Amino acid sequence: MSVLIVGGDQVESLKRQVIAQGHTHVEHWSGRKKGFLKRSLSSNTRLIVMVCDYVSHSLANSLKNKASRKGIPLIYCRHSAHELKHKLLNKEKIDEGCCHCYSF
């Protein structure tokens, strides 16, 4: 199962958390360039983790729409491995309003 992490520069701790939960492949998009808005999701992506503190509004909205069209769960978190671990263990899926996505 493939997981896409969007946002952040140093995401090694987040990758380790995702792999520890049994996901085999982790892809990372920094989200720093405009080209990420037009990038398509991989066909084997089963989960998207969005690091809210490092993602623009337009990229966040674009990914939310793409994920909902494909039925892919979307987890919002700050750059915290502990928070991500908690959300993965409890299988939380947050669709509406996220944890500080829109506060810059």
Side-chain angles (χ1 to χ4, degrees):
M1 185 182 318
S2 181
V3 175
L4 173 63
I5 298 176
V6 180
D9 294 325
Q10 304 293 325
V11 295
E12 291 305 314
S13 62
L14 298 177
K15 284 183 179 182
R16 284 193 299 271
Q17 278 303 330
V18 169
I19 290 170
Q21 297 300 318
H23 303 281
T24 56
H25 183 263
V26 180
E27 183 180 356
H28 174 242
W29 294 358
S30 67
R32 299 265 186 211
K33 297 180 182 177
K34 290 182 181 180
F36 286 105
L37 286 170
K38 296 179 182 177
R39 212 174 212 185
S40 60
L41 297 174
S42 173
S43 62
N44 60 351
T45 301
R46 299 292 176 251
L47 175 68
I48 299 173
V49 176
M50 191 176 309
V51 183
C52 298
D53 298 343
Y54 297 93
V55 177
S56 69
H57 292 158
S58 54
L59 181 57
N61 287 331
S62 173
L63 279 173
K64 183 178 177 181
N65 291 334
K66 289 176 185 178
S68 67
R69 274 187 260 128
K70 290 189 173 195
I72 300 172
L74 182 61
I75 294 177
Y76 298 95
C77 72
R78 292 177 289 274
H79 197 203
S80 165
H82 178 71
E83 180 184 4
L84 180 59
K85 178 182 177 182
H86 176 70
K87 289 183 177 188
L88 289 171
L89 285 173
N90 293 319
K91 299 189 188 314
E92 290 180 3
K93 179 181 174 189
I94 303 171
D95 291 324
E96 298 299 324
C98 69
C99 64
H100 302 76
C101 255
Y102 301 108
S103 62
F104 287 82

